[in-house]
Amino acid sequence: MSGLVRWWSSSGGRGWTAKAAVAGLVAGVALAVPTPAVAVPSEPPAPAPPAVERVPEGVTLPLWWPYPPDQLAIDSDCYDACADPAVVRSPRPWLAARVRDSRGAPLRADFQVRDGTGSVVAAGSDSQVPSGATARWRPPADLATDETYSFRVRAVNWPWASAWSAPFTFTVVTATPATPLVTSTDYPPADTGIWSGGPGQPGEFLFDPAGASDVVAFTYRWLSGEGETVEVDPGESATVELAPPGDLQQVLQVRSINQAGGISDWFTYSFLVRPVPNELLHWRFDEGEGATATPVSGGSAHAGTLHDGVSWVPSGINPGDPAATGTALAFDGETGFVSAPPAVVTDGATGWTVAAWVSPEARTDRHTVLAQGGTTQSAVQLQYRPEANQDAGGVCLVVAHADATDVDETLVCAPADQVPVGEWSHVAAVHDPMTGQLELWVDGGPFNGEWPAGWSGSATAPQAWSADGDLQLGRGLQDGAHGDYWQGRVDELRIYQRPLSGSELTFLFLQCRYGDCPA
């Protein structure tokens, strides 16, 4: 160490002194910092015998000096690449290093930032840092983005200064990543109109970085919920299994995080979750006005929307008390229909029953009272078919064998005169998985106590499949196209997630025909 010699004081204490004045010793120190200092060894030297050099009587300097700083780091301005070489998102990142002194004295930490050419572009200090603590400092002005820099640190306890630390390299990246993309085949986007899964039923969602090569994580959350993070290799996508927290329309939000910690905008992914099955959904259609028909049992989640060609009309199911059943819906046979979220769980283990009062006004073409839609076909339909009963026509339960084009169907059709034009008839379709049968009941079946009696028929049910489309009143879906519009009236629609017995169906018929329809 040039300019310093060992000596022993008259009291025997070992220390350091200068051959010349302190000002002369520090004159050559090259750093633009507030107070220059003298460079000293990185660690205390080993004990040595008394030296022959002498200093003026009474001049004694203690044995202490600062060590070179270590544990250099970027403090809070990075995300994934925080170790040397780091990537930071702030043009004025906080730089940090640990400083120490041989006797534990407070220190000044001198910071120096250099660009790629080695030129000093920023320098400054953090003062009165306790020995063993972390010094922090940030450049006073913005550094250039997309440029690589290095910083180094030295510790100073005047007049002594440590050697400079090894450099720490970092790159400034202030740009945020592109908004990610989200897809799912288990839960397709809402604009497809497909209802899928159910609350708590997991599905896979693909998070794509949209071409951003520095994305290392995705944050995701349900709308207004708590966020979670999944990490990926730079530029890679992530497949995450998530269970929707509820039914109907759900919203998943996803954003990207790059290596520097830059965060993209939220991508909002909306999709439709099949409603929770209710034991009973019951539409009275007694609103009498407006564009919404809400079930009195089952909740507003299953409310139906009226479209052009549907109107409210008096019901009159009970001939002795026409006002008892309030109002009904009338369909024009051309454009009128009502759409609602899926209501019939077509592949459920418990089966189902769909029942309604219908009054046709025409029997010239196919006319659909109700249909639980899929993607390409209606899985279940109550439909008038003119070709049924050897072209005599009849109201039929129609079940498609698959959600595809040109598929086979299983039909159960009532006789042509069983559902007359201009009169109210009670029609019920039943699927009983225990017996493997499809059933169609008209006016409570043959034992309703009336003359002429009602009717019932059955057929073997095909393999059930899941229909995720809307519930449609007044039209059906065939080979991907909606049509076969109903011309006539519909009232008192009920959907059960179980097969009703014959006696239960007879009771429904008689109660509405001669009293108040049961709630």
Side-chain angles (χ1 to χ4, degrees), residues 457-511:
S458 65
T460 300
Q463 179 67 42
W465 51 276
S466 176
D468 298 324
D470 283 348
L471 176 71
Q472 303 271 334
L473 277 71
R475 70 176 186 176
L477 176 67
Q478 185 172 12
D479 294 336
H482 288 101
D484 300 333
Y485 288 86
W486 177 253
Q487 185 174 353
R489 295 173 292 169
V490 177
D491 202 3
E492 293 291 333
L493 171 63
R494 296 168 182 262
I495 297 175
Y496 298 81
Q497 295 305 151
R498 64 179 181 87
L500 265 61
S501 66
S503 60
E504 288 177 306
L505 293 171
T506 301
F507 174 78
L508 282 180
F509 163 71
L510 294 174
Q511 280 291 100

Side-chain angles (χ1 to χ4, degrees), residues 247-348:
D247 59 3
L248 305 178
Q249 181 162 314
Q250 294 295 312
V251 176
L252 177 66
Q253 294 182 309
V254 181
R255 61 185 181 184
S256 301
I257 304 174
N258 64 18
Q259 290 176 310
I263 301 174
S264 74
D265 293 333
W266 288 105
F267 180 91
T268 298
Y269 184 77
S270 299
F271 58 98
L272 303 175
V273 179
R274 187 186 300 166
V276 176
N278 287 272
E279 182 181 358
L280 169 63
L281 290 170
H282 178 198
W283 288 264
R284 284 192 179 275
F285 302 129
D286 284 345
E287 288 88 346
E289 61 181 3
T292 302
T294 303
V296 295
S297 177
S300 60
H302 293 272
T305 301
L306 280 63
H307 299 267
D308 290 345
V310 182
S311 58
W312 302 95
V313 295
S315 175
I317 292 174
N318 182 346
D321 185 6
T325 49
T327 56
L329 295 178
F331 297 79
D332 66 359
E334 297 180 357
T335 61
F337 71 99
V338 176
S339 60
V344 184
V345 182
T346 54
D347 60 346

Side-chain angles (χ1 to χ4, degrees), residues 202-473:
E204 290 188 346
F205 295 82
L206 179 68
F207 303 162
D208 187 279
S213 61
D214 61 344
V215 167
V216 294
F218 298 95
T219 298
Y220 59 93
R221 68 182 185 186
W222 299 112
L223 183 63
S224 301
E226 296 293 328
E228 297 187 45
T229 300
V230 56
E231 295 185 347
V232 296
D233 292 332
E236 295 296 319
S237 60
T239 298
V240 180
E241 187 175 77
L242 301 172
D247 59 3
L248 305 178
Q249 181 162 314
Q250 294 295 312
V251 176
L252 177 66
Q253 294 182 309
V254 181
R255 61 185 181 184
S256 301
I257 304 174
N258 64 18
Q259 290 176 310
I263 301 174
S264 74
D265 293 333
W266 288 105
F267 180 91
T268 298
Y269 184 77
S270 299
F271 58 98
L272 303 175
V273 179
R274 187 186 300 166
V276 176
N278 287 272
E279 182 181 358
L280 169 63
L281 290 170
H282 178 198
W283 288 264
R284 284 192 179 275
F285 302 129
D286 284 345
E287 288 88 346
E289 61 181 3
T292 302
T294 303
V296 295
S297 177
S300 60
H302 293 272
T305 301
L306 280 63
H307 299 267
D308 290 345
V310 182
S311 58
W312 302 95
V313 295
S315 175
I317 292 174
N318 182 346
D321 185 6
T325 49
T327 56
L329 295 178
F331 297 79
D332 66 359
E334 297 180 357
T335 61
F337 71 99
V338 176
S339 60
V344 184
V345 182
T346 54
D347 60 346
T350 60
W352 45 261
T353 300
V354 177
W357 284 86
V358 301
S359 175
E361 292 181 4
R363 296 195 302 190
T364 55
D365 297 307
R366 290 185 179 184
H367 300 287
T368 302
V369 177
L370 173 147
Q372 174 56 60
T375 302
T376 304
Q377 298 288 349
S378 294
V380 177
Q381 296 184 89
L382 284 175
Q383 185 181 67
Y384 176 82
R385 290 211 168 179
E387 69 270 25
N389 300 309
Q390 299 180 339
D391 295 332
V395 171
C396 303
L397 164 59
V398 182
V399 175
H401 290 197
D403 195 11
T405 58
D406 299 322
V407 297
D408 291 335
E409 299 173 326
T410 295
L411 282 74
V412 183
C413 298
D417 60 353
Q418 196 69 53
V419 183
V421 173
E423 297 183 17
W424 283 111
S425 299
H426 188 252
V427 180
V430 180
H431 176 221
D432 188 345
M434 294 296 293
T435 63
Q437 293 292 297
L438 296 172
E439 301 173 3
L440 181 64
W441 291 70
V442 179
D443 289 344
F447 304 108
N448 63 4
E450 294 204 328
W451 185 263
W455 177 90
S456 67
S458 65
T460 300
Q463 179 67 42
W465 51 276
S466 176
D468 298 324
D470 283 348
L471 176 71
Q472 303 271 334
L473 277 71

